[in-house]
Amino acid sequence: MGSVKADRIQILDLSYAGLKEFFVSLAEPAFRADQLLGWIYRKNAASFSEMTDLPLPLREKLNFAASLSTLALIEERVSRDGLTRKALFRLGDGYSIETAYMAYGRGAGLHPELLEASGKADETTSARVRGTVCVSSQVGCAIKCPFCATGQQGFTRNLTPGEIIEQALYYQRLLSPAGGKTDNGTRRPVNNVVFMGMGEPLANYDNVVSAVEMLNFPRGMGLSTRQITISTSGLAREIRRLADDAVRVELAVSLHAATDDLRDFLVPVNRTVPLADLMIACRYFIMKTGRRPTFEWALFRGVNDSPAQLEALVNLIGGLNAHVNIIAGNKTSSKDFPPAGEKQVKAFKEALESRGIFATIRGARGQDIDAGCGQLRSRFCASSDR
Ligand code: SAH
Ligand code: SF4
C-alpha cells in the first residue's frame, strides 16, 4: 500500500463536524462541507473531479489529500428475477466483504435505464421502486454461530464508518435513475439499511453508530431512524448502551433458540450473555426508546422447530408485544442445519400466532446468487488467501 494513499483523509469516515474541521484545516470555509455532502449524497458523485461548483484548485487539493472511496468491486451478481443483488468488494488492505440489495415494488428489479426504456418510468412507478441494502459491519465475525457462513471464517477486523456507508452509496449510485440525482426522495433506490451482512454490528459499536449517524443525517443519506435496523446476536451491554445513546435505530435480535442449552450451541455468545440477561437488556431498550425489537428465528429442521422451543419462546417474549421474524434457513454447507421447508415455516408461524405472538416470514431471497449471510465470500475465499 502506497504511503501517500494511506495518509489520505477518508472523507466517508468523517462526521459532519469532522468534515467542517477538515475544510477549515485546508483554509476553506466550513460551508464547503455542505457542498461536498450534496455532491456525495444527492448527486451521487463518486469523485472530487465531478464536483464542478468547487473551485478547481480545491478539487485538486482534495484529490491529493483525501479519498472518497476505499471499496473496489470484485463481483456483482443479480438473481434471475432481478430483485436481489449481491456485491463482493475488496477493501484497501485486501480483505473482502459482501453487501446485498433487495428491491421491492412495481418495476423493481429493472435497472433504471431499462425502466426508462420499458416506458414504465413515470413518477408513480419510480416512486414505488424501493430497496433495502444489507451491509456488513466486520470482516468475519467472532461469535461463530455454527450455521452461519461468516461465523466459520473467524474474525479479522472491524469496518470503518466509511467502509459501511460506501456499501449503501454503491447501490444508491448504481440504481439511481438516469442523471443520478436523488433530490426527489421518492426516486431513491435505497430506502432501508439493515446491518445483517457479515459481522456483529454491536461488537463494532463506535464505527457502526458513526455510520448510522451519517445514514440518518438529513444532509447525508437522509434515511429516517425507522429505516435503519441493527441486527445483533444479543450483546446485552451494547443493547443497553444503544438505548442510552442519542442515536435511534430499529433493533433485531437473533434469538434462534429460547432455552440456554440450545442457544449456547446455536449462538455461542449466549454462554457469556444468557437469555435472562439478554431479555433484561431488551426490556430496557423498549423502556428507553419506546421501540420493540424484532426477534429473528432462522428455522432449521430438527434443530429449533420443536414444540418445546415454541413453548419456551412464547414464555420468553410473550409479554413484550414483540414480533418474530421467521427466516427460512439458508442453505449452508453444513448438513447439521437443514433449512425448514415452506410447510414447517408456515406451521411454526401459525402456532406462534395462535399463542398471540405476531410473526412474519422472511423469505430466503436470492438463493441462486448465494445471497445468504457470508456465503458469497466463503465461495470466493476457497480460491484465495483473503
Ligand atoms: N451478527 C448479526 C448480524 C448479521 S447476521 C446477527 O447475528 O444478528 C444476520 C442474520 O442472518 C442473523 O439473524 C443471523 O442469525 C442470520 N443467519 C446467518 N446465517 C444464516 C443461515 N444459514 N440461515 C438463516 N439465517 C442465517
Ligand atoms: Fe456472527 Fe451473526 Fe453470523 Fe452469528 S449469525 S456468526 S453473530 S454474523
Side-chain angles (χ1 to χ4, degrees):
M1 194 158 50
S3 61
V4 173
K5 202 175 169 196
D7 293 343
R8 282 185 180 176
I9 296 284
Q10 298 296 337
I11 292 291
L12 297 180
D13 279 341
L14 299 180
S15 65
Y16 182 49
L19 203 52
K20 286 198 280 195
E21 276 168 31
F22 168 65
F23 278 112
V24 170
S25 78
L26 293 180
E28 291 284 336
F31 72 78
R32 295 279 184 231
D34 297 298
Q35 274 181 297
L36 192 72
L37 289 179
W39 277 106
I40 296 171
Y41 292 99
R42 298 288 163 272
K43 298 183 209 160
N44 297 324
S47 69
F48 300 119
S49 313
E50 295 164 54
M51 303 180 179
T52 45
D53 63 357
L54 298 184
L56 188 59
L58 174 58
R59 276 181 267 158
E60 282 168 357
K61 228 191 287 183
L62 287 172
N63 272 328
F64 180 76
S67 164
L68 246 193
S69 168
T70 57
L71 304 188
L73 184 69
I74 297 172
E75 182 183 8
E76 156 103 4
R77 295 191 187 183
V78 185
S79 64
R80 273 186 292 277
D81 60 12
L83 294 174
T84 309
R85 292 166 171 269
K86 181 114 176 171
L88 183 69
F89 295 106
R90 189 179 304 288
L91 304 173
D93 57 7
Y95 291 106
S96 55
I97 54 157
E98 60 191 14
T99 308
Y101 178 85
M102 289 147 285
Y104 302 93
R106 194 158 63 91
L110 289 179
H111 189 276
E113 280 161 27
L114 291 178
L115 197 61
E116 302 282 345
S118 74
K120 291 191 225 155
D122 55 86
E123 203 61 36
T124 352
T125 308
S126 299
R128 288 186 189 186
V129 179
R130 43 190 216 283
T132 297
V133 177
C134 174
V135 297
S136 293
S137 56
Q138 297 182 314
V139 181
C141 181
I143 311 288
K144 294 195 162 70
C145 305
F147 56 86
C148 170
T150 306
Q152 308 317 299
Q153 294 160 6
F155 173 72
T156 302
R157 74 164 171 89
N158 285 329
L159 296 188
T160 63
E163 287 166 338
I164 296 169
I165 293 165
E166 199 180 339
Q167 297 172 61
L169 275 179
Y170 168 78
Y171 279 111
Q172 174 161 297
R173 288 172 189 150
L174 183 72
L175 300 172
S176 284
K181 291 209 172 62
T182 50
D183 295 347
N184 178 350
T186 59
R187 291 175 71 94
R188 288 185 175 205
V190 176
N191 307 76
N192 290 287
V193 171
V194 297
F195 285 78
M196 292 189 184
M198 299 162 63
E200 168 50 54
L202 294 186
N204 181 16
Y205 190 95
D206 292 336
N207 291 349
V208 164
V209 164
S210 299
V212 164
E213 281 167 350
M214 193 46 90
L215 292 172
N216 176 227
F217 187 53
R219 273 168 275 186
M221 197 81 174
L223 297 174
S224 87
T225 60
R226 300 271 175 199
Q227 295 172 306
I228 304 170
T229 302
I230 290 183
S231 176
T232 178
S233 56
L235 306 192
R237 204 179 45 203
E238 284 74 16
I239 291 174
R240 284 197 305 272
R241 184 172 171 199
L242 196 59
D244 289 335
D245 218 317
V247 77
R248 280 288 168 263
V249 285
E250 295 296 309
L251 185 66
V253 175
S254 299
L255 210 50
H256 308 319
T259 54
D260 281 320
D261 55 345
L262 183 60
R263 200 163 188 273
D264 280 352
F265 166 63
L266 281 182
V267 188
V269 71
N270 198 76
R271 294 173 199 163
T272 42
V273 188
L275 281 165
D277 293 357
L278 174 57
M279 295 317 290
I280 291 171
C282 289
R283 287 200 167 82
Y284 185 76
F285 185 86
I286 296 171
M287 185 191 73
K288 291 286 295 232
T289 68
R291 296 181 180 206
R292 278 161 217 291
T294 297
F295 292 97
E296 306 279 315
W297 195 280
L299 199 62
F300 298 107
R301 198 156 24 91
V303 177
N304 61 353
D305 59 349
S306 67
Q309 279 300 315
L310 190 111
E311 195 57 38
L313 176 58
V314 171
N315 288 335
L316 197 66
I317 66 166
L320 291 182
N321 191 19
H323 166 180
V324 175
N325 221 334
I326 306 169
I327 312 161
N330 287 313
K331 277 179 249 151
T332 59
S333 45
S334 166
K335 60 178 181 344
D336 296 335
F337 300 97
E342 223 173 284
K343 255 198 201 149
Q344 291 154 304
V345 169
K346 220 170 140 233
F348 200 81
K349 168 183 153 72
E350 282 166 7
L352 273 177
E353 293 197 325
S354 75
R355 305 294 302 273
I357 295 183
F358 183 57
T360 46
I361 298 172
R362 181 144 63 84
R365 278 255 213 140
Q367 293 272 358
D368 58 323
I369 54 164
D370 292 336
C373 180
Q375 291 181 18
L376 184 64
R377 183 176 184 266
S378 304
R379 177 172 294 186
F380 173 76
C381 285
S383 57
S384 151
D385 55 353
R386 282 198 158 174

